[in-house]
Structure formats: C-alpha cells, structure tokens
C-alpha cells in the first residue's frame, strides 16, 4: 500500500520516499530532499564537514543541538545516549 503523500512542503518526493525506505525519520528525509531540490543532489552530498564529531562536544553542546532539532527526553540522557539520539534522528 502506498504511503500517504508527504505534503506540499517536500520538494523532491522521490528522494524523500527513498530516504524513508532507508529508515530516515520524516524530518530528516524532508530536510535532505528539500536541500537537494534547492541545489543539486551532488552538492548536497558534499555539504557538511563544518561540524565536529559529537564525541568532541560537551554534554551542554549536545543538549543544545538536541533541543534545536526537537529530541524529546534529552534532559535524562547521558552523553552517550544524546550522541546516539542525534545520529539516529
């Protein structure tokens, strides 16, 4: 059975569906597919590299990052759990 249409805010629906099939969250799939629609897919793949490793960040920095992207239950998480939640969001 086909999935429900992701809505008008998703610009590249094929990429969105492929990312969802690979296990990405709705938010992450929309973020990546919209970035690809705004430029080219190859440029999106080369983006990044500006942020450091999560292991090098303090717990406060990880908490701020988790708050920015809306991870629930972050106040009770350890540093290791925060890193896992950020990587899998």
């Amino acid at each position: 059975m086909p999935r429900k249409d992701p809505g008008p805010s998703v610009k590249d629906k094929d990429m969105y569906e492929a990312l969802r099939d690979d296990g990405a969250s709705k938010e992450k799939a929309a973020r990546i597919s919209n970035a690809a629609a705004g430029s080219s897919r190859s440029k999106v793949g080369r983006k990044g590299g500006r942020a450091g490793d999560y292991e090098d960040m303090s717990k406060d920095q990880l908490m701020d990052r988790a708050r920015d992207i809306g991870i629930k239950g972050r106040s009770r998480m350890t540093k290791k759990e925060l890193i896992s939640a950020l990587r899998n969001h």
Side-chain angles (χ1 to χ4, degrees), residues 1-4 8 11-12 16 24-25 30-31 33 36 50 54 57 63 68 70 75 82 86-88:
M1 177 176 206
R3 287 193 186 139
K4 183 181 167 190
K11 307 298 182 225
D12 188 338
Y16 173 85
S25 69
R31 192 170 48 244
S33 63
R50 287 176 257 147
Y54 285 138
M57 295 177 148
M63 291 287 279
D68 289 344
S75 64
L82 280 167
L86 288 165
R87 285 192 174 138
N88 295 313

Side-chain angles (χ1 to χ4, degrees), residues 2-89:
R3 287 193 186 139
K4 183 181 167 190
D5 184 30
S9 64
V10 174
K11 307 298 182 225
D12 188 338
K13 293 180 182 180
D14 293 333
M15 180 180 269
Y16 173 85
E17 290 300 328
L19 290 165
R20 290 290 290 144
D21 290 341
D22 287 341
S25 69
K26 290 178 184 179
E27 295 87 5
K28 185 175 184 178
R31 192 170 48 244
I32 293 169
S33 63
N34 287 345
S39 61
S40 71
R41 289 182 182 196
S42 62
K43 285 183 182 177
V44 171
R46 287 192 299 263
K47 278 186 178 181
R50 287 176 257 147
D53 291 332
Y54 285 138
E55 286 82 6
D56 296 336
M57 295 177 148
S58 70
K59 185 174 178 185
D60 288 337
Q61 291 171 315
L62 294 170
M63 291 287 279
D64 290 342
R65 178 77 176 123
R67 184 181 313 106
D68 289 344
I69 61 175
I71 294 175
K72 304 286 185 209
R74 64 187 173 271
S75 64
R76 292 181 298 275
M77 291 183 184
T78 64
K79 182 175 179 177
K80 188 174 182 179
E81 291 169 330
L82 280 167
I83 290 170
S84 177
L86 288 165
R87 285 192 174 138
N88 295 313
H89 181 272

